[in-house]
Amino acid sequence: MQELFTQTFKSLGYDIEAKIVKSNQEADFQCDDCFKLAKVYHKSPLDIANEVVNKLKEVKDFDNYFKEVNVSAPGFINIIVSDKYICDNLNNLMTKEIFGSTKENHTIVVDYGGPNVAKPLHVGHLRPAIIGQAIYNILKYKGNKVIGDVHLGDIGTQMGQVIYGLLQDFPNTKPADIKITLDYLNDTYPKISALCKENEEVKNKCLEITKELQEGNKDYQILWQKICAISVQDIKRIYDYLDVHFDYWYGESDAHKQFKEMLAFMEKQHVIKIDDGAKIIDVKEKDDKIEMPPCLIQKSDGAYLYATSDLGTIWQRVKEFNPDEILYVVDGRQNMHFQQVFRAAKKSHIFEGVLQHHGNGTVNGPDNKPFKTRAGGTLKLEDLLKNVKEEFINLREENKRMDDEDIDKIVGAIIKFADLQNNLERNYIFDIKKFSEVNGKTGPYILYTYLRINKIISPNIKKLSSQIYSQTDRALRLKLLEVSEVLDLASKERRPHYIAEYLYELSVVANNFYQNNKVLGLTGVKQDDFNTILNFNNNIIKALLGLLGISIPKAM
Ligand code: ARG
């Protein structure tokens, strides 16, 4: 249709790629291009619109496309498409391998998750994991080669703190013989971390251990490996529960191995400056609206920084994956860090591709501030998940009798849909009650829609006839046709919320269809048509839920 409009414009001497958009008037679609053309060709938009519609009506297969095309002042073109057009397009879409209209073929690294070893995951780790995994799934679905890397924070000061704790608790045991448990870790890190805040001497000792560890102290490395093994196992357990999986479990320590080579390369580019004994890269640009501090590469005492780790990681990714793009799903409050790192990477020519930070917003408590426990501490992610599960089970008597695997799937749907329906940089208030409702813009509503339809369909899919049987039938079919555009947009902008929003809209029209049409006890073509439409509806829901990382329970 877009093409037909473009051709018609061109045949009248108007040079424009037509844009057909969804209409919120009486029509299905509309074209607003006449306003743009009016400025260029110094005519009234209304005259151009009439000219175009008259020309369109001369097209041989006009009736195949349209039920009606008319003009409304001051120059809109309103389009009501024919039933045949809708059915033909649906038949075509149903044979497609993927629902998006275009395939992509880029190599993209997605850096998401970003947990820190030796500390339990907390609420702040929820969004980077869920959004990152959804973006990963979407880009892969579109045909890209996608590489997911968790980027563990495995060599920061928390490591020095835990090792300090171990040296205190096991002063006479050889590092190789010290046994570390998860409980021990969970106690020790907060204990020593608190101690560092009051005791300068301990703090300095911990920093010293961290530095020696980074420089390769053998004893510390033995302990470090043990700590990593136990902590990472626990981190994996929780990501598994959320169905979040990574291709690579590289950490900052892997980046450290790249520093020598990378720094030598950077020196050759003459981008590194010495400032008060520290190595920095100046990343100011002349159009900057805010102050851009230099990117700190190495402190005067020789210690490397967070930015150095990210640059070393880019260096490694270029060597190993040669990506077109590296995308970071990390808390939006780290934006300045990433701007500095990206500029330093460009300036030193370690990577010429696209670097993008998708800074996520926070999960907030009822006070609209980042979520805390009642006592004011950070809430462990595991506790949040447990709370949601408990709330869901207590919501209705029937829920208590549900299959545990199904409950976990619903818990996943509640959390993920709540999260992904928000544009990723927005903060949102975590309201378990609201998110668990079966009515409203929630995960359970989408699941319920799917399961209800699933009960009455048979897998016997036929080619659709050209007939549409009611307004609600028509509305559902038009909505189904939107799927390609939605997928293209979500993938192009790397924003899963478009898919969540569409899933909700689709569920609303699907429920309307179900309520307003007799779908059971039919025979003949009508039965086949309805069965096929509902099958297609559920195929789309299932595929899109899958992209959002949401699994469907057997029943609810
Ligand atoms: N571990 C970091 C933190 O807790 C997040 C890592 C994000 N990813 C990155 N490439 N910097 O703040």
Side-chain angles (χ1 to χ4, degrees):
M1 180 164 56
Q2 201 118 344
E3 222 160 278
L4 183 63
F5 268 81
T6 302
Q7 275 169 22
T8 308
F9 277 124
K10 293 226 160 104
S11 74
L12 292 165
Y14 300 118
D15 185 25
I16 193 164
E17 285 299 319
K19 208 169 154 211
I20 309 294
V21 295
K22 236 184 8 174
S23 174
N24 34 27
Q25 309 298 315
E26 299 288 272
D28 299 327
F29 301 98
Q30 63 188 60
C31 172
D32 305 340
D33 290 333
C34 302
F35 297 101
K36 267 185 246 150
L37 291 171
K39 290 203 186 98
V40 182
Y41 293 91
H42 308 290
K43 285 189 185 173
S44 90
L46 195 63
D47 285 348
I48 301 177
N50 277 317
E51 220 183 316
V52 170
V53 170
N54 287 336
K55 185 85 191 167
L56 259 182
K57 288 189 171 155
E58 290 168 16
V59 172
K60 185 164 87 306
D61 45 3
F62 178 87
D63 292 339
N64 278 345
Y65 282 94
F66 307 109
K67 203 173 261 173
E68 198 187 322
V69 182
N70 60 41
V71 174
S72 65
F76 299 100
I77 301 177
N78 306 311
I79 304 157
I80 298 177
V81 289
S82 71
D83 290 355
K84 183 172 173 3
Y85 174 87
I86 295 175
C87 298
D88 285 352
N89 277 291
L90 277 173
N91 278 326
N92 180 25
L93 189 59
M94 286 191 289
T95 62
K96 288 262 178 72
E97 182 196 340
I98 62 167
F99 298 130
S101 63
T102 48
K103 271 235 161 201
E104 285 166 21
N105 187 16
H106 300 292
T107 302
I108 305 168
V109 175
V110 186
D111 177 318
Y112 61 111
N116 295 317
V117 173
K119 306 186 199 178
L121 295 175
H122 59 77
V123 190
H125 291 110
L126 184 68
R127 301 205 76 195
I130 290 178
I131 298 167
Q133 187 67 55
I135 293 178
Y136 176 99
N137 296 342
I138 295 164
L139 292 174
K140 195 159 189 165
Y141 181 85
K142 287 285 271 178
N144 295 294
K145 178 168 180 221
V146 194
I147 297 139
D149 181 13
V150 69
H151 197 72
L152 287 172
D154 61 353
I155 200 151
T157 48
Q158 83 274 20
M159 287 301 184
Q161 294 172 351
V162 176
I163 293 174
Y164 174 85
L166 284 167
L167 297 177
Q168 297 297 306
D169 293 336
F170 303 94
N172 302 316
T173 318
K174 280 211 307 253
D177 297 335
I178 297 179
K179 244 184 90 66
I180 307 171
T181 64
L182 187 61
D183 286 338
Y184 178 84
L185 264 189
N186 287 344
D187 285 344
T188 306
Y189 166 69
K191 202 170 78 193
I192 308 294
S193 161
L195 190 60
C196 285
K197 289 203 180 97
E198 1 175 295
N199 188 326
E200 192 74 12
E201 205 179 310
V202 177
K203 184 179 152 195
N204 288 335
K205 182 71 195 153
C206 291
L207 286 174
E208 202 179 298
I209 296 175
T210 309
K211 189 157 171 283
E212 283 179 41
L213 168 70
Q214 293 179 357
E215 284 164 2
N217 177 309
K218 286 275 167 326
D219 283 348
Y220 295 168
Q221 288 209 330
I222 293 172
L223 294 173
W224 173 76
Q225 263 161 2
K226 293 187 178 197
I227 300 168
C228 287
I230 288 181
S231 172
V232 170
Q233 193 184 17
D234 194 51
I235 290 171
K236 277 192 178 148
R237 180 178 61 85
I238 295 175
Y239 282 143
D240 276 346
Y241 180 81
L242 287 170
D243 236 327
V244 170
H245 307 283
F246 300 91
D247 299 313
Y248 290 90
W249 284 80
Y250 284 137
E252 294 185 13
S253 64
D254 294 293
H256 277 244
K257 295 177 199 148
Q258 309 294 324
F259 288 169
K260 219 172 133 209
E261 197 181 273
M262 175 184 76
L263 287 171
F265 180 85
M266 284 176 162
E267 296 285 0
K268 274 203 209 124
Q269 310 293 317
H270 305 293
V271 288
I272 294 186
K273 281 196 210 156
I274 307 293
D275 182 59
D276 231 354
K279 288 187 177 170
I280 61 163
I281 298 180
D282 188 10
V283 293
K284 273 206 206 73
E285 284 172 14
K286 67 174 188 320
D287 295 329
D288 284 344
K289 301 237 158 38
I290 49 166
E291 175 71 23
M292 260 291 181
C295 185
L296 198 46
I297 303 291
Q298 192 172 20
K299 289 205 278 194
S300 53
D301 68 1
Y304 295 110
L305 296 108
Y306 186 37
T308 334
S309 279
D310 266 316
L311 288 164
T313 305
I314 294 174
W315 179 265
Q316 184 196 359
R317 287 172 180 163
V318 171
K319 280 200 298 189
E320 190 169 347
F321 309 118
N322 189 23
D324 301 301
E325 180 176 339
I326 307 176
L327 208 121
Y328 299 79
V329 183
V330 182
D331 193 322
R333 291 169 293 183
Q334 294 196 19
N335 191 259
M336 178 63 98
H337 162 74
F338 283 107
Q339 292 322 312
Q340 290 175 304
V341 168
F342 295 172
R343 285 184 182 189
K346 288 269 126 105
K347 205 169 163 183
S348 57
H349 300 285
I350 65 170
F351 182 51
E352 307 292 348
V354 178
L355 291 164
Q356 220 173 56
H357 174 211
H358 277 264
N360 61 271
T362 52
V363 179
N364 289 354
D367 59 352
N368 204 13
K369 300 226 175 72
F371 216 108
K372 294 263 184 244
T373 58
R374 284 213 185 90
T378 40
L379 180 63
K380 282 193 200 160
L381 182 51
E382 180 160 30
D383 291 339
L384 179 90
L385 301 176
K386 278 190 187 144
N387 290 350
V388 176
K389 189 164 174 176
E390 214 165 278
E391 287 266 351
F392 175 75
I393 291 173
N394 289 324
L395 203 62
R396 298 180 311 169
E397 262 322 291
E398 302 98 285
N399 292 0
K400 297 200 172 67
R401 292 188 294 276
M402 278 183 71
D403 173 307
D404 198 51
E405 217 173 276
D406 278 356
I407 294 180
D408 286 335
K409 286 181 178 163
I410 298 170
V411 169
I414 292 172
I415 295 174
K416 291 175 189 178
F417 197 83
D419 195 294
L420 294 171
Q421 67 178 270
N422 293 291
N423 198 343
L424 60 90
E425 65 255 301
R426 265 188 61 183
N427 307 331
Y428 69 93
I429 294 180
F430 198 81
D431 181 340
I432 302 182
K433 287 237 154 46
K434 188 172 106 192
F435 298 157
S436 312
E437 295 282 353
V438 175
N439 282 309
K441 210 188 252 187
T442 66
Y445 175 66
I446 317 287
L447 294 179
Y448 170 76
T449 307
Y450 176 92
L451 289 170
R452 181 186 188 191
I453 291 171
N454 209 40
K455 267 195 212 140
I456 56 153
I457 50 179
S458 77
N460 181 18
I461 297 179
K462 295 253 169 80
K463 199 168 164 208
L464 294 168
S465 76
S466 297
Q467 212 182 329
I468 294 181
Y469 303 90
S470 66
Q471 267 313 314
T472 47
D473 177 14
R474 197 166 192 282
L476 174 57
R477 295 184 196 222
L478 278 169
K479 188 49 82 181
L480 290 169
L481 281 180
E482 281 174 33
V483 68
S484 307
E485 209 180 306
V486 170
L487 268 167
D488 289 346
L489 187 65
S491 158
K492 182 165 153 248
E493 295 195 9
R494 286 92 165 93
R495 285 178 195 278
H497 77 277
Y498 291 116
I499 291 179
E501 180 64 32
Y502 172 74
L503 270 171
Y504 173 65
E505 291 171 8
L506 179 60
S507 297
V508 171
V509 289
N511 279 309
N512 266 338
F513 171 87
Y514 189 95
Q515 268 148 22
N516 293 295
N517 295 276
K518 187 171 167 288
V519 283
L520 293 172
L522 298 171
T523 52
V525 178
K526 189 171 179 184
Q527 181 191 26
D528 289 341
D529 281 349
F530 277 6
N531 184 55
T532 298
I533 285 294
L534 289 175
N535 260 293
F536 191 44
N537 175 76
N538 269 13
N539 287 344
I540 288 182
I541 291 185
K542 190 172 185 182
L544 298 188
L545 282 176
L547 295 182
L548 300 188
I550 298 174
S551 321
I552 300 171
K554 292 183 291 296
M556 65 184 283

